[in-house]
Amino acid sequence: MGKLSTYTSKTPNAKGFIPYSEEENRVWHELISTQIPMLPGRACDDYVRALQLMDFPHDRIPQLHEVNEVLMDYTGWSVKAVPALIDFTSFFQLLATRQFPAATFIRRREDISYLQEPDVFHEVFGHTPLLTDYRFAAFSEAYGKAGLAANKRDHAMLARLFWFTVEFGLLRTPDGLRSYGAGIVSSPGELIYALESEIPARQQLDPLEVLRTPYRIDIYQTVYFIINSFDDLFDLAQQDLIALITRARKLGIHAPTFPAKAA
Ligand SMILES: [Fe+2]
């Protein structure tokens, strides 16, 4: 990230509780009440069903232990409070042990429609529901393990695989394309853009192509990758990701389809 954050993640107290102010709870309320009505016909059914399982409160930010109770029941995952940005090794280590790293601060009102950094709304609303799905859970764990086994120079390549699936993935359904990526389902703007705009490319997920495709974190995506089912991710989790990286590196990285970031 190019500039320093003005946000600090909150540390849970000894009982695992994070106190949020009334204003912070109101921001959560506004975000969740805006986003839920936008999901039908845009987010995939698996996500919508998983969101129902999570049963997040609307009037306050859920506590991580509440989120964990549901995740533990379904797949043994949990959420771990971390600063907004952590290094790759810590990130992979957590995923490999079925812990999802989550920033715990919430955006301020002036940033309500867009925040580049992941906040607790993105992490909890966007990421945690699908971790109740065994296929998605298996992929996320395998991804973490591949990260730990990978050479440091391959971290950026692996980051693309996470980016174009867990963060910005689309799913083909009999009713048309739907979103499952956390970056899309937690963003009012990108939820529409990813599915309805004529600007971005949308292509079938080919792991080699994903590994070779650069991205920017501060703009709507210029390309989205589509899976046919979460089985595709489950199958990908069984593959030798390190061997795929080696092949992708030999083939080379694609030229960006987005403008260079202004200095
Ligand atoms: Fe995320």
Side-chain angles (χ1 to χ4, degrees):
M1 222 174 69
K3 60 182 181 187
L4 286 175
S5 173
T6 57
Y7 288 97
T8 313
S9 222
K10 293 166 183 279
T11 309
N13 68 18
K15 289 182 175 161
F17 181 84
I18 299 174
Y20 290 105
S21 70
E22 268 184 43
E23 168 62 7
E24 288 170 323
N25 284 325
R26 272 198 296 270
V27 169
W28 169 273
H29 170 75
E30 210 166 297
L31 287 166
I32 197 167
S33 332
T34 304
Q35 201 67 358
I36 283 182
M38 294 182 62
L39 298 176
R42 297 192 178 100
C44 67
D45 290 347
D46 306 77
Y47 173 81
V48 173
R49 271 198 303 272
L51 187 63
Q52 285 162 0
L53 296 179
M54 300 309 294
D55 196 21
F56 296 133
H58 285 211
D59 59 341
R60 63 175 175 84
I61 300 169
Q63 293 293 323
L64 297 187
H65 67 82
E66 298 172 288
V67 175
N68 290 345
E69 277 166 27
V70 183
L71 294 183
M72 277 288 174
D73 263 5
Y74 283 89
T75 54
W77 273 77
S78 63
V79 178
K80 169 121 173 113
V82 296
L85 294 167
I86 57 172
D87 61 71
F88 274 119
T89 304
S90 314
F91 181 66
F92 293 138
Q93 251 158 9
L94 287 168
L95 294 181
T97 50
R98 296 206 161 205
Q99 298 176 82
F100 195 86
T104 52
F105 70 88
I106 195 156
R107 69 195 76 180
R108 288 183 288 268
R109 192 163 293 279
E110 63 262 31
D111 293 327
I112 202 146
S113 56
Y114 179 74
L115 184 66
Q116 182 177 312
E117 302 158 67
D119 71 347
V120 69
F121 182 72
H122 168 79
E123 310 278 35
V124 168
F125 184 88
H127 278 289
T128 65
L130 280 177
L131 287 170
T132 60
D133 184 298
Y134 76 95
R135 299 162 298 178
F136 199 85
F139 173 68
S140 304
E141 180 188 354
Y143 176 84
K145 287 182 170 157
L148 289 179
N151 193 301
K152 248 191 174 153
R153 68 180 190 146
D154 295 328
H155 286 176
M157 202 170 260
L158 262 182
R160 296 186 192 120
L161 184 58
F162 192 84
W163 189 259
F164 288 117
T165 55
V166 175
E167 293 289 1
F168 289 97
L170 298 181
L171 175 72
R172 194 180 307 284
T173 80
D175 301 317
L177 289 183
R178 297 288 184 268
S179 302
Y180 70 89
I184 306 178
V185 297
S186 66
S187 159
E190 195 145 2
L191 186 58
I192 293 173
Y193 178 89
L195 296 163
E196 296 168 25
S197 169
E198 290 178 1
I199 298 169
R202 298 175 187 88
Q203 58 195 73
Q204 197 64 28
L205 185 133
D206 169 343
L208 269 181
E209 283 299 299
V210 168
L211 293 171
R212 300 173 65 202
T213 303
Y215 63 85
R216 259 176 68 176
I217 65 167
D218 58 338
I219 53 172
Y220 286 165
Q221 300 307 298
T222 48
V223 56
Y224 296 93
F225 287 91
I226 305 162
I227 58 172
N228 292 330
S229 154
F230 286 114
D231 293 339
D232 292 357
L233 292 184
F234 189 71
D235 293 345
L236 189 51
Q238 320 304 316
Q239 289 187 36
D240 184 348
L241 294 178
I242 303 298
L244 277 173
I245 288 174
T246 307
R247 282 171 62 197
R249 187 168 289 289
K250 274 193 191 136
L251 292 166
I253 307 305
H254 288 306
T257 53
F258 45 77
K261 196 171 175 178

mmCIF file of all heavy atoms in Angstrom, residues 141-179:
data_model
loop_
_atom_site.group_PDB
_atom_site.id
_atom_site.type_symbol
_atom_site.label_atom_id
_atom_site.label_comp_id
_atom_site.label_asym_id
_atom_site.label_seq_id
_atom_site.Cartn_x
_atom_site.Cartn_y
_atom_site.Cartn_z
ATOM 1 N N GLU A 141 -7.446 -23.394 3.056
ATOM 2 C CA GLU A 141 -6.393 -24.053 3.833
ATOM 3 C C GLU A 141 -5.246 -24.502 2.917
ATOM 4 O O GLU A 141 -4.068 -24.281 3.234
ATOM 5 C CB GLU A 141 -6.977 -25.279 4.569
ATOM 6 C CG GLU A 141 -5.947 -26.013 5.390
ATOM 7 C CD GLU A 141 -6.473 -27.334 5.963
ATOM 8 O OE1 GLU A 141 -7.680 -27.614 5.800
ATOM 9 O OE2 GLU A 141 -5.673 -28.075 6.537
ATOM 10 N N ALA A 142 -5.599 -25.106 1.785
ATOM 11 C CA ALA A 142 -4.563 -25.580 0.850
ATOM 12 C C ALA A 142 -3.743 -24.408 0.323
ATOM 13 O O ALA A 142 -2.531 -24.505 0.133
ATOM 14 C CB ALA A 142 -5.217 -26.325 -0.318
ATOM 15 N N TYR A 143 -4.429 -23.298 0.118
ATOM 16 C CA TYR A 143 -3.742 -22.095 -0.344
ATOM 17 C C TYR A 143 -2.693 -21.655 0.685
ATOM 18 O O TYR A 143 -1.547 -21.343 0.340
ATOM 19 C CB TYR A 143 -4.774 -20.988 -0.592
ATOM 20 C CG TYR A 143 -4.138 -19.681 -0.977
ATOM 21 C CD1 TYR A 143 -3.783 -19.431 -2.300
ATOM 22 C CD2 TYR A 143 -3.857 -18.722 -0.019
ATOM 23 C CE1 TYR A 143 -3.166 -18.246 -2.641
ATOM 24 C CE2 TYR A 143 -3.251 -17.532 -0.360
ATOM 25 C CZ TYR A 143 -2.902 -17.300 -1.669
ATOM 26 O OH TYR A 143 -2.285 -16.132 -2.012
ATOM 27 N N GLY A 144 -3.089 -21.650 1.955
ATOM 28 C CA GLY A 144 -2.150 -21.270 3.014
ATOM 29 C C GLY A 144 -0.957 -22.214 3.053
ATOM 30 O O GLY A 144 0.195 -21.780 3.191
ATOM 31 N N LYS A 145 -1.227 -23.505 2.901
ATOM 32 C CA LYS A 145 -0.127 -24.491 2.944
ATOM 33 C C LYS A 145 0.808 -24.317 1.751
ATOM 34 O O LYS A 145 2.032 -24.430 1.887
ATOM 35 C CB LYS A 145 -0.702 -25.910 2.986
ATOM 36 C CG LYS A 145 -1.307 -26.204 4.359
ATOM 37 C CD LYS A 145 -1.851 -27.605 4.466
ATOM 38 C CE LYS A 145 -2.203 -27.888 5.929
ATOM 39 N NZ LYS A 145 -3.200 -28.946 6.078
ATOM 40 N N ALA A 146 0.228 -24.031 0.591
ATOM 41 C CA ALA A 146 1.068 -23.791 -0.593
ATOM 42 C C ALA A 146 1.926 -22.552 -0.366
ATOM 43 O O ALA A 146 3.102 -22.514 -0.745
ATOM 44 C CB ALA A 146 0.193 -23.614 -1.831
ATOM 45 N N GLY A 147 1.346 -21.560 0.273
ATOM 46 C CA GLY A 147 2.094 -20.328 0.549
ATOM 47 C C GLY A 147 3.296 -20.596 1.432
ATOM 48 O O GLY A 147 4.383 -20.068 1.205
ATOM 49 N N LEU A 148 3.102 -21.446 2.431
ATOM 50 C CA LEU A 148 4.212 -21.765 3.339
ATOM 51 C C LEU A 148 5.312 -22.539 2.621
ATOM 52 O O LEU A 148 6.489 -22.406 2.943
ATOM 53 C CB LEU A 148 3.694 -22.573 4.537
ATOM 54 C CG LEU A 148 2.841 -21.801 5.546
ATOM 55 C CD1 LEU A 148 2.378 -22.740 6.656
ATOM 56 C CD2 LEU A 148 3.597 -20.612 6.129
ATOM 57 N N ALA A 149 4.896 -23.351 1.642
ATOM 58 C CA ALA A 149 5.876 -24.164 0.915
ATOM 59 C C ALA A 149 6.549 -23.376 -0.209
ATOM 60 O O ALA A 149 7.576 -23.800 -0.742
ATOM 61 C CB ALA A 149 5.181 -25.405 0.328
ATOM 62 N N ALA A 150 5.963 -22.249 -0.566
ATOM 63 C CA ALA A 150 6.467 -21.511 -1.734
ATOM 64 C C ALA A 150 7.713 -20.714 -1.395
ATOM 65 O O ALA A 150 7.944 -20.337 -0.248
ATOM 66 C CB ALA A 150 5.381 -20.564 -2.235
ATOM 67 N N ASN A 151 8.474 -20.461 -2.442
ATOM 68 C CA ASN A 151 9.614 -19.570 -2.338
ATOM 69 C C ASN A 151 9.087 -18.142 -2.175
ATOM 70 O O ASN A 151 8.028 -17.812 -2.716
ATOM 71 C CB ASN A 151 10.382 -19.691 -3.662
ATOM 72 C CG ASN A 151 11.740 -19.071 -3.578
ATOM 73 O OD1 ASN A 151 11.855 -17.886 -3.297
ATOM 74 N ND2 ASN A 151 12.756 -19.878 -3.808
ATOM 75 N N LYS A 152 9.825 -17.326 -1.445
ATOM 76 C CA LYS A 152 9.377 -15.942 -1.211
ATOM 77 C C LYS A 152 9.082 -15.203 -2.509
ATOM 78 O O LYS A 152 8.149 -14.407 -2.600
ATOM 79 C CB LYS A 152 10.460 -15.177 -0.446
ATOM 80 C CG LYS A 152 10.020 -14.838 0.960
ATOM 81 C CD LYS A 152 10.944 -13.862 1.621
ATOM 82 C CE LYS A 152 10.322 -13.488 2.955
ATOM 83 N NZ LYS A 152 11.203 -13.095 3.950
ATOM 84 N N ARG A 153 9.860 -15.472 -3.542
ATOM 85 C CA ARG A 153 9.676 -14.734 -4.808
ATOM 86 C C ARG A 153 8.359 -15.123 -5.481
ATOM 87 O O ARG A 153 7.916 -14.477 -6.413
ATOM 88 C CB ARG A 153 10.864 -14.975 -5.745
ATOM 89 C CG ARG A 153 10.927 -16.386 -6.234
ATOM 90 C CD ARG A 153 12.083 -16.664 -7.158
ATOM 91 N NE ARG A 153 11.872 -17.984 -7.732
ATOM 92 C CZ ARG A 153 12.215 -18.337 -8.943
ATOM 93 N NH1 ARG A 153 12.787 -17.492 -9.743
ATOM 94 N NH2 ARG A 153 11.990 -19.568 -9.367
ATOM 95 N N ASP A 154 7.760 -16.222 -5.021
ATOM 96 C CA ASP A 154 6.491 -16.655 -5.611
ATOM 97 C C ASP A 154 5.275 -16.113 -4.873
ATOM 98 O O ASP A 154 4.142 -16.373 -5.253
ATOM 99 C CB ASP A 154 6.415 -18.189 -5.637
ATOM 100 C CG ASP A 154 7.459 -18.788 -6.560
ATOM 101 O OD1 ASP A 154 7.779 -18.132 -7.573
ATOM 102 O OD2 ASP A 154 7.955 -19.884 -6.262
ATOM 103 N N HIS A 155 5.505 -15.364 -3.810
ATOM 104 C CA HIS A 155 4.380 -14.875 -3.008
ATOM 105 C C HIS A 155 3.442 -13.976 -3.811
ATOM 106 O O HIS A 155 2.222 -14.076 -3.697
ATOM 107 C CB HIS A 155 4.894 -14.132 -1.770
ATOM 108 C CG HIS A 155 5.432 -15.065 -0.724
ATOM 109 N ND1 HIS A 155 6.022 -14.631 0.429
ATOM 110 C CD2 HIS A 155 5.468 -16.421 -0.674
ATOM 111 C CE1 HIS A 155 6.402 -15.680 1.161
ATOM 112 N NE2 HIS A 155 6.076 -16.761 0.500
ATOM 113 N N ALA A 156 4.023 -13.114 -4.641
ATOM 114 C CA ALA A 156 3.175 -12.193 -5.418
ATOM 115 C C ALA A 156 2.297 -12.985 -6.383
ATOM 116 O O ALA A 156 1.136 -12.647 -6.630
ATOM 117 C CB ALA A 156 4.035 -11.199 -6.181
ATOM 118 N N MET A 157 2.855 -14.052 -6.919
ATOM 119 C CA MET A 157 2.092 -14.877 -7.858
ATOM 120 C C MET A 157 0.942 -15.580 -7.131
ATOM 121 O O MET A 157 -0.188 -15.625 -7.601
ATOM 122 C CB MET A 157 3.038 -15.894 -8.486
ATOM 123 C CG MET A 157 2.532 -16.425 -9.787
ATOM 124 S SD MET A 157 3.778 -17.389 -10.618
ATOM 125 C CE MET A 157 4.395 -16.232 -11.804
ATOM 126 N N LEU A 158 1.250 -16.108 -5.958
ATOM 127 C CA LEU A 158 0.198 -16.763 -5.167
ATOM 128 C C LEU A 158 -0.877 -15.769 -4.751
ATOM 129 O O LEU A 158 -2.053 -16.117 -4.662
ATOM 130 C CB LEU A 158 0.816 -17.385 -3.919
ATOM 131 C CG LEU A 158 1.137 -18.861 -3.963
ATOM 132 C CD1 LEU A 158 1.695 -19.287 -2.609
ATOM 133 C CD2 LEU A 158 -0.063 -19.715 -4.312
ATOM 134 N N ALA A 159 -0.460 -14.542 -4.488
ATOM 135 C CA ALA A 159 -1.435 -13.512 -4.088
ATOM 136 C C ALA A 159 -2.479 -13.339 -5.182
ATOM 137 O O ALA A 159 -3.653 -13.073 -4.898
ATOM 138 C CB ALA A 159 -0.722 -12.195 -3.809
ATOM 139 N N ARG A 160 -2.086 -13.508 -6.433
ATOM 140 C CA ARG A 160 -3.052 -13.364 -7.550
ATOM 141 C C ARG A 160 -4.117 -14.446 -7.486
ATOM 142 O O ARG A 160 -5.278 -14.208 -7.815
ATOM 143 C CB ARG A 160 -2.326 -13.449 -8.893
ATOM 144 C CG ARG A 160 -1.363 -12.332 -9.083
ATOM 145 C CD ARG A 160 -0.743 -12.343 -10.488
ATOM 146 N NE ARG A 160 0.361 -11.407 -10.479
ATOM 147 C CZ ARG A 160 1.628 -11.722 -10.729
ATOM 148 N NH1 ARG A 160 1.950 -12.939 -11.080
ATOM 149 N NH2 ARG A 160 2.554 -10.805 -10.646
ATOM 150 N N LEU A 161 -3.719 -15.631 -7.089
ATOM 151 C CA LEU A 161 -4.690 -16.723 -7.017
ATOM 152 C C LEU A 161 -5.757 -16.416 -5.965
ATOM 153 O O LEU A 161 -6.946 -16.652 -6.173
ATOM 154 C CB LEU A 161 -3.960 -18.033 -6.681
ATOM 155 C CG LEU A 161 -4.803 -19.295 -6.651
ATOM 156 C CD1 LEU A 161 -5.505 -19.533 -7.985
ATOM 157 C CD2 LEU A 161 -3.944 -20.511 -6.297
ATOM 158 N N PHE A 162 -5.344 -15.884 -4.857
ATOM 159 C CA PHE A 162 -6.280 -15.501 -3.793
ATOM 160 C C PHE A 162 -7.156 -14.345 -4.277
ATOM 161 O O PHE A 162 -8.379 -14.340 -4.105
ATOM 162 C CB PHE A 162 -5.472 -15.067 -2.562
ATOM 163 C CG PHE A 162 -6.280 -14.918 -1.304
ATOM 164 C CD1 PHE A 162 -6.563 -16.015 -0.511
ATOM 165 C CD2 PHE A 162 -6.730 -13.670 -0.897
ATOM 166 C CE1 PHE A 162 -7.292 -15.873 0.670
ATOM 167 C CE2 PHE A 162 -7.460 -13.523 0.281
ATOM 168 C CZ PHE A 162 -7.740 -14.629 1.066
ATOM 169 N N TRP A 163 -6.501 -13.388 -4.911
ATOM 170 C CA TRP A 163 -7.192 -12.177 -5.359
ATOM 171 C C TRP A 163 -8.333 -12.501 -6.329
ATOM 172 O O TRP A 163 -9.450 -12.012 -6.186
ATOM 173 C CB TRP A 163 -6.164 -11.266 -6.051
ATOM 174 C CG TRP A 163 -6.689 -9.914 -6.355
ATOM 175 C CD1 TRP A 163 -7.140 -9.465 -7.569
ATOM 176 C CD2 TRP A 163 -6.832 -8.817 -5.448
ATOM 177 N NE1 TRP A 163 -7.556 -8.165 -7.461
ATOM 178 C CE2 TRP A 163 -7.376 -7.745 -6.168
ATOM 179 C CE3 TRP A 163 -6.550 -8.649 -4.084
ATOM 180 C CZ2 TRP A 163 -7.644 -6.512 -5.585
ATOM 181 C CZ3 TRP A 163 -6.825 -7.426 -3.504
ATOM 182 C CH2 TRP A 163 -7.368 -6.378 -4.256
ATOM 183 N N PHE A 164 -8.039 -13.328 -7.319
ATOM 184 C CA PHE A 164 -9.023 -13.579 -8.390
ATOM 185 C C PHE A 164 -10.024 -14.682 -8.041
ATOM 186 O O PHE A 164 -10.890 -15.006 -8.850
ATOM 187 C CB PHE A 164 -8.314 -13.889 -9.706
ATOM 188 C CG PHE A 164 -7.665 -12.671 -10.320
ATOM 189 C CD1 PHE A 164 -6.290 -12.602 -10.488
ATOM 190 C CD2 PHE A 164 -8.436 -11.579 -10.717
ATOM 191 C CE1 PHE A 164 -5.693 -11.476 -11.054
ATOM 192 C CE2 PHE A 164 -7.854 -10.456 -11.276
ATOM 193 C CZ PHE A 164 -6.474 -10.398 -11.444
ATOM 194 N N THR A 165 -9.895 -15.254 -6.831
ATOM 195 C CA THR A 165 -10.893 -16.240 -6.402
ATOM 196 C C THR A 165 -11.567 -15.724 -5.123
ATOM 197 O O THR A 165 -12.656 -15.178 -5.176
ATOM 198 C CB THR A 165 -10.255 -17.626 -6.149
ATOM 199 O OG1 THR A 165 -9.179 -17.492 -5.204
ATOM 200 C CG2 THR A 165 -9.735 -18.226 -7.436
ATOM 201 N N VAL A 166 -10.889 -15.850 -4.020
ATOM 202 C CA VAL A 166 -11.466 -15.504 -2.712
ATOM 203 C C VAL A 166 -11.919 -14.031 -2.666
ATOM 204 O O VAL A 166 -12.960 -13.716 -2.113
ATOM 205 C CB VAL A 166 -10.450 -15.786 -1.587
ATOM 206 C CG1 VAL A 166 -10.969 -15.329 -0.244
ATOM 207 C CG2 VAL A 166 -10.110 -17.275 -1.555
ATOM 208 N N GLU A 167 -11.159 -13.146 -3.285
ATOM 209 C CA GLU A 167 -11.522 -11.718 -3.220
ATOM 210 C C GLU A 167 -12.465 -11.295 -4.351
ATOM 211 O O GLU A 167 -13.412 -10.550 -4.110
ATOM 212 C CB GLU A 167 -10.267 -10.829 -3.263
ATOM 213 C CG GLU A 167 -9.359 -10.942 -2.052
ATOM 214 C CD GLU A 167 -9.921 -10.317 -0.773
ATOM 215 O OE1 GLU A 167 -11.050 -9.790 -0.790
ATOM 216 O OE2 GLU A 167 -9.222 -10.392 0.250
ATOM 217 N N PHE A 168 -12.187 -11.729 -5.582
ATOM 218 C CA PHE A 168 -12.947 -11.161 -6.706
ATOM 219 C C PHE A 168 -13.490 -12.220 -7.666
ATOM 220 O O PHE A 168 -13.670 -11.950 -8.853
ATOM 221 C CB PHE A 168 -12.087 -10.121 -7.449
ATOM 222 C CG PHE A 168 -11.916 -8.872 -6.624
ATOM 223 C CD1 PHE A 168 -10.781 -8.684 -5.844
ATOM 224 C CD2 PHE A 168 -12.921 -7.924 -6.561
ATOM 225 C CE1 PHE A 168 -10.648 -7.556 -5.034
ATOM 226 C CE2 PHE A 168 -12.808 -6.794 -5.757
ATOM 227 C CZ PHE A 168 -11.666 -6.617 -4.995
ATOM 228 N N GLY A 169 -13.792 -13.403 -7.140
ATOM 229 C CA GLY A 169 -14.259 -14.480 -8.002
ATOM 230 C C GLY A 169 -15.724 -14.348 -8.399
ATOM 231 O O GLY A 169 -16.553 -13.844 -7.646
ATOM 232 N N LEU A 170 -16.022 -14.831 -9.611
ATOM 233 C CA LEU A 170 -17.395 -14.950 -10.097
ATOM 234 C C LEU A 170 -17.715 -16.419 -10.303
ATOM 235 O O LEU A 170 -16.833 -17.234 -10.577
ATOM 236 C CB LEU A 170 -17.570 -14.212 -11.433
ATOM 237 C CG LEU A 170 -17.342 -12.697 -11.459
ATOM 238 C CD1 LEU A 170 -17.593 -12.161 -12.880
ATOM 239 C CD2 LEU A 170 -18.239 -11.975 -10.463
ATOM 240 N N LEU A 171 -19.006 -16.723 -10.207
ATOM 241 C CA LEU A 171 -19.485 -18.109 -10.351
ATOM 242 C C LEU A 171 -20.526 -18.146 -11.462
ATOM 243 O O LEU A 171 -21.423 -17.303 -11.509
ATOM 244 C CB LEU A 171 -20.122 -18.535 -9.025
ATOM 245 C CG LEU A 171 -20.799 -19.899 -8.960
ATOM 246 C CD1 LEU A 171 -19.751 -21.014 -8.977
ATOM 247 C CD2 LEU A 171 -21.644 -20.017 -7.684
ATOM 248 N N ARG A 172 -20.394 -19.151 -12.361
ATOM 249 C CA ARG A 172 -21.393 -19.326 -13.412
ATOM 250 C C ARG A 172 -22.547 -20.156 -12.844
ATOM 251 O O ARG A 172 -22.319 -21.193 -12.227
ATOM 252 C CB ARG A 172 -20.765 -20.056 -14.606
ATOM 253 C CG ARG A 172 -21.610 -19.999 -15.870
ATOM 254 C CD ARG A 172 -20.938 -20.748 -17.020
ATOM 255 N NE ARG A 172 -19.555 -20.342 -17.283
ATOM 256 C CZ ARG A 172 -19.207 -19.216 -17.910
ATOM 257 N NH1 ARG A 172 -20.120 -18.394 -18.329
ATOM 258 N NH2 ARG A 172 -17.928 -18.924 -18.103
ATOM 259 N N THR A 173 -23.769 -19.695 -13.029
ATOM 260 C CA THR A 173 -24.927 -20.458 -12.550
ATOM 261 C C THR A 173 -25.933 -20.539 -13.692
ATOM 262 O O THR A 173 -25.823 -19.789 -14.677
ATOM 263 C CB THR A 173 -25.613 -19.766 -11.341
ATOM 264 O OG1 THR A 173 -26.459 -18.705 -11.831
ATOM 265 C CG2 THR A 173 -24.615 -19.205 -10.342
ATOM 266 N N PRO A 174 -26.927 -21.415 -13.598
ATOM 267 C CA PRO A 174 -27.935 -21.490 -14.669
ATOM 268 C C PRO A 174 -28.669 -20.164 -14.857
ATOM 269 O O PRO A 174 -29.228 -19.902 -15.917
ATOM 270 C CB PRO A 174 -28.897 -22.574 -14.164
ATOM 271 C CG PRO A 174 -28.110 -23.367 -13.176
ATOM 272 C CD PRO A 174 -27.123 -22.423 -12.561
ATOM 273 N N ASP A 175 -28.659 -19.328 -13.844
ATOM 274 C CA ASP A 175 -29.365 -18.041 -13.948
ATOM 275 C C ASP A 175 -28.443 -16.894 -14.358
ATOM 276 O O ASP A 175 -28.871 -15.739 -14.368
ATOM 277 C CB ASP A 175 -30.017 -17.695 -12.597
ATOM 278 C CG ASP A 175 -30.990 -18.772 -12.159
ATOM 279 O OD1 ASP A 175 -31.755 -19.243 -13.017
ATOM 280 O OD2 ASP A 175 -30.967 -19.153 -10.964
ATOM 281 N N GLY A 176 -27.199 -17.223 -14.671
ATOM 282 C CA GLY A 176 -26.255 -16.172 -15.065
ATOM 283 C C GLY A 176 -25.103 -16.068 -14.080
ATOM 284 O O GLY A 176 -25.007 -16.860 -13.132
ATOM 285 N N LEU A 177 -24.233 -15.098 -14.318
ATOM 286 C CA LEU A 177 -23.061 -14.944 -13.449
ATOM 287 C C LEU A 177 -23.479 -14.385 -12.090
ATOM 288 O O LEU A 177 -24.372 -13.547 -12.004
ATOM 289 C CB LEU A 177 -22.054 -13.983 -14.082
ATOM 290 C CG LEU A 177 -21.305 -14.478 -15.307
ATOM 291 C CD1 LEU A 177 -20.292 -13.432 -15.757
ATOM 292 C CD2 LEU A 177 -20.599 -15.811 -15.018
ATOM 293 N N ARG A 178 -22.801 -14.869 -11.065
ATOM 294 C CA ARG A 178 -23.022 -14.372 -9.712
ATOM 295 C C ARG A 178 -21.655 -14.164 -9.060
ATOM 296 O O ARG A 178 -20.671 -14.785 -9.460
ATOM 297 C CB ARG A 178 -23.819 -15.381 -8.875
ATOM 298 C CG ARG A 178 -25.228 -15.669 -9.393
ATOM 299 C CD ARG A 178 -26.154 -14.490 -9.155
ATOM 300 N NE ARG A 178 -27.516 -14.758 -9.551
ATOM 301 C CZ ARG A 178 -28.050 -14.499 -10.747
ATOM 302 N NH1 ARG A 178 -27.293 -13.979 -11.700
ATOM 303 N NH2 ARG A 178 -29.317 -14.747 -11.002
ATOM 304 N N SER A 179 -21.618 -13.351 -8.025
ATOM 305 C CA SER A 179 -20.357 -13.088 -7.324
ATOM 306 C C SER A 179 -20.221 -13.985 -6.105
ATOM 307 O O SER A 179 -21.217 -14.275 -5.448
ATOM 308 C CB SER A 179 -20.339 -11.642 -6.821
ATOM 309 O OG SER A 179 -20.493 -10.777 -7.891
#
